[in-house]
Amino acid sequence: MSPVSRGRKKKPDRRSRRLAAVPDEDALVRNVIAAFRPAVTETDPVQVEAMVSGLLGTVWQQDPPGRDQDGAVLALLASAGRRRDASALALLRALAAIADSRAVREAAGSGADILRAAGVTEPGWVSAIGRPVVRDCWRLTDCYGDMVTLACVFGYGRRRHCLTALIDSGDGDPWISELALLDQPARILRELREVAADSAPIITLEQLDPAVAREVLEDGMA
């Protein structure tokens, strides 16, 4: 267990886990919209990001390997775009902000603009989601480089969160064995400093440039 794995993790809404059991497309869309209703009044963009990430994962898991994963998502947001509902608009805005496919982002953005023009109320987080401010990044590593804990602190306004990754480099090909989105970043950094102080010089803690931290994360996830 990494030094930070005991923190409280952000979890997607449990209702998204039940979507795979709904075979009818119209029923699926209704369930998706219902599952996304809490996002309409949510004040923390991170919670909305976790919800839409969980939704995308659920949709992708229903498709066989090799199938175009965008197809199912595009069909879903097309149906959502025909519903003049604040939950549908919230879903489309979230997908437009953080979906990893350009086609999905553009289609979601167009659908959201149509709903907004029809008078549907925008969620309060629409101008902030997907645009966090990176505060600082830290790397805890042993002298052998076999295990690395990366902690990246970011925020939306006064809210602070921490993305942590446990990276295994024992075989020479770094890969992320644990990835968590946590709150209480001050406590997490305090724990990392304590680990480094108790185990120096075998274990060290250093601050990283965010660009370097991103590269480490992307390599580990790839």
Side-chain angles (χ1 to χ4, degrees), residues 13 15-16 18-38 40 51 55 59 62 72 75-89 91:
D13 193 301
R15 283 169 290 187
S16 66
R18 300 198 295 266
L19 298 180
V22 183
D24 180 74
E25 183 174 332
D26 288 338
L28 174 62
V29 174
R30 287 196 299 270
N31 275 265
V32 169
I33 298 302
F36 223 74
R37 190 160 292 124
V40 175
M51 291 174 65
L55 169 63
V59 174
Q62 297 179 68
L76 175 64
L77 62 88
S79 296
R82 292 191 290 269
R83 297 170 181 265
R84 295 189 178 185
D85 183 282
S87 300
L89 178 54
L91 172 62

Side-chain angles (χ1 to χ4, degrees), residues 5-109:
S5 61
R6 296 185 299 276
R8 181 168 64 85
K9 300 180 181 180
K10 304 287 184 182
K11 296 181 180 179
D13 193 301
R14 291 183 178 180
R15 283 169 290 187
S16 66
R17 302 175 187 173
R18 300 198 295 266
L19 298 180
V22 183
D24 180 74
E25 183 174 332
D26 288 338
L28 174 62
V29 174
R30 287 196 299 270
N31 275 265
V32 169
I33 298 302
F36 223 74
R37 190 160 292 124
V40 175
T41 56
E42 177 60 60
T43 59
D44 188 349
V46 165
Q47 297 286 13
V48 181
E49 292 173 0
M51 291 174 65
V52 76
S53 295
L55 169 63
L56 288 172
T58 300
V59 174
W60 291 339
Q61 287 171 2
Q62 297 179 68
D63 287 336
R67 182 176 174 179
D68 177 19
Q69 294 180 330
D70 284 353
V73 180
L74 289 170
L76 175 64
L77 62 88
S79 296
R82 292 191 290 269
R83 297 170 181 265
R84 295 189 178 185
D85 183 282
S87 300
L89 178 54
L91 172 62
L92 292 172
R93 285 300 187 206
L95 284 168
I98 70 168
D100 65 342
S101 163
R102 181 177 179 179
V104 171
R105 291 196 303 272
E106 291 180 348

Side-chain angles (χ1 to χ4, degrees), residues 10 22 25 31 35 39 65 69 98 117 133-134 138 142 157 162 176 193:
K10 304 287 184 182
V22 183
E25 183 174 332
N31 275 265
Q69 294 180 330
I98 70 168
V133 176
V134 179
W138 300 84
D142 60 38
C162 187
I176 294 177
R193 292 188 178 100

